[in-house]
């Protein structure tokens, strides 16, 4: 299975073969694991929840505290203010005032990476109605930021639905594209490192440069075996600990003075 490669004018200029080191033929042979993609999607979606939903009780509603009418003689039910739950604009009867809720979910790293690669495979295979839902560009870059040129680029690719545009991690290369596409509707921009199953499945089309796709496939997302734990890629080196200051004797000139650790006074 080969994926066509386009230029910025929408013309096909080559193909990206599904061999090892490119689109990973082993992943294509395994097929799409829908259950794994669903689990990863639910996890990413749940981790976006803020967990701070609140409702107002009658005490939190702004307005007058004046009694609506006198207690007796009207024939109506007894009421105090109009802030109670049975009136429009009043507070909730059982207001939600609990502490911040945590909806965070997690998955093993290897499962998460396999789900992301399965989502990419789903985009490559596409659907019967839309065909392949990925557009690989030979060089996704622009000489100058211009929204008109970016819109013409999307029209040349025949994108009639929402699109996820994956930008390079190099700031200079992605800056012009980002400025050109930030005001275009139904287009979302993300760097290569943030390309997840959630982002890919939330948009109909995936637009990515060939070099960015190869870097993503060969990067940490390619480690779906025990190597992800033994020798992970992209690990940040920890800063060395600061050495503790020596305690005990201080040298002043040619004489050594013994200091006390409790009071700090010389003896």
């Amino acid at each position: 299975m080969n994926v066509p490669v386009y230029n910025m004018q929408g013309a096909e200029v080559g193909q990206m073969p599904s061999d090892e080191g490119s689109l990973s033929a082993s992943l294509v042979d395994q097929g799409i694991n829908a259950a794994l993609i669903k689990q990863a999607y639910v996890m990413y979606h749940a981790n976006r929840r803020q967990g701070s939903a609140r409702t107002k009780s009658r005490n939190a509603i702004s307005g007058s505290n004046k009694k609506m009418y006198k207690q007796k003689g009207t024939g109506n039910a007894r009421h105090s203010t109009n802030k109670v739950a049975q009136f429009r604009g009043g507070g909730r009867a059982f207001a939600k005032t609990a502490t911040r809720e945590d909806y965070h979910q997690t998955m093993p790293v290897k499962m998460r990476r396999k789900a992301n690669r399965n989502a990419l495979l789903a985009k490559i295979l596409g659907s019967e109605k839309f065909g392949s839902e990925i557009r690989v560009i030979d060089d996704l870059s622009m000489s100058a930021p211009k929204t008109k040129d970016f819109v013409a680029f999307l029209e040349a690719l025949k994108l009639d639905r929402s699109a996820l545009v994956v930008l390079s991690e190099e700031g200079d290369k992605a800056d012009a594209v980002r400025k050109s596409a930030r005001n275009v509707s139904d287009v979302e921009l993300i760097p290569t490192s943030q390309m997840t199953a959630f982002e890919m499945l939330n948009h109909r089309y995936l637009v990515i440069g060939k070099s960015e796709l190869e870097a993503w496939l060969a990067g940490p997302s390619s480690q779906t075996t025990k190597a992800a734990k033994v020798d992970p890629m992209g690990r940040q080196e920890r800063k060395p600990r600061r050495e503790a200051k020596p305690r005990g004797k201080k040298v002043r000139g040619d004489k050594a003075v013994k200091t006390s650790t409790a009071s700090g006074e010389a003896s």
Side-chain angles (χ1 to χ4, degrees):
M1 181 186 65
N2 297 331
V3 177
V5 180
Y6 302 89
N7 57 14
M8 293 294 291
Q9 289 72 39
E12 184 176 343
V13 294
Q15 289 187 341
M16 194 172 181
S18 58
D19 53 4
E20 289 297 335
S22 183
L23 289 181
S24 183
S26 61
L27 178 61
V28 176
D29 295 338
Q30 292 174 3
I32 299 175
N33 189 339
L36 182 62
I37 296 177
K38 168 69 180 302
Q39 184 178 353
Y41 188 92
V42 171
M43 180 202 69
Y44 284 118
H45 188 260
N47 292 347
R48 288 195 168 198
R49 296 188 64 177
Q50 189 172 348
S52 59
R54 297 292 178 268
T55 54
K56 292 183 178 182
S57 64
R58 57 186 294 183
N59 295 328
I61 298 296
S62 62
S64 175
N65 291 325
K66 183 181 178 180
K67 187 175 175 64
M68 294 184 63
Y69 42 76
K70 64 180 183 178
Q71 182 80 350
K72 295 181 179 294
T74 64
N76 297 323
R78 295 170 290 182
H79 277 298
S80 55
T81 69
N82 60 352
K83 298 181 181 181
V84 290
Q86 52 265 49
F87 289 110
R88 184 176 181 179
R92 294 296 298 266
F94 300 97
K96 187 175 181 181
T97 57
T99 56
R100 182 180 292 270
E101 299 181 38
D102 185 15
Y103 297 99
H104 185 269
Q105 298 183 18
T106 185
M107 285 177 63
V109 175
K110 292 184 290 185
M111 289 181 62
R112 186 165 64 244
R113 290 175 177 174
K114 285 184 178 180
N116 294 338
R117 294 173 71 87
N118 271 260
L120 176 64
L121 178 60
K123 286 293 179 186
I124 295 173
L125 298 179
S127 59
E128 296 181 0
K129 181 178 180 180
F130 295 97
S132 180
E133 298 175 357
I134 185 173
R135 299 291 186 272
V136 182
I137 313 301
D138 59 346
D139 184 19
L140 185 57
S141 62
M142 299 179 67
S143 58
K146 198 169 184 179
T147 304
K148 183 178 179 180
D149 293 345
F150 187 83
V151 173
F153 162 67
L154 296 180
E155 292 176 352
L157 293 176
K158 300 179 181 180
L159 305 185
D160 54 352
R161 293 290 193 278
S162 62
L164 176 68
V165 180
V166 183
L167 302 179
S168 173
E169 297 288 345
E170 301 175 8
D172 298 337
K173 182 179 180 181
D175 189 58
V177 180
R178 178 182 58 81
K179 291 180 179 178
S180 301
R182 58 187 174 183
N183 291 330
V184 181
S185 60
D186 293 335
V187 171
E188 184 174 349
L189 307 170
I190 60 169
T192 310
S193 58
Q194 296 181 13
M195 193 174 73
T196 62
F198 182 82
E199 299 292 348
M200 284 186 276
L201 297 179
N202 271 347
H203 302 82
R204 173 65 64 185
Y205 295 103
L206 173 65
V207 181
I208 184 172
K210 182 179 179 181
S211 58
E212 285 75 35
L213 179 57
E214 291 176 343
W216 187 84
L217 290 169
S221 64
S222 64
Q223 291 187 314
T224 56
T225 59
K226 290 183 179 180
K229 187 175 182 180
V230 177
D231 187 18
M233 300 174 63
R235 173 189 285 179
Q236 296 181 356
E237 297 183 359
R238 294 183 178 180
K239 296 181 180 180
R241 294 182 178 180
R242 273 175 30 182
E243 297 182 359
K245 295 181 179 179
R247 303 175 67 182
K249 295 183 178 180
K250 290 184 178 180
V251 179
R252 294 179 182 174
D254 296 335
K255 297 182 180 180
V257 180
K258 187 176 181 181
T259 59
S260 173
T261 57
S263 61
E265 299 177 353
S267 57

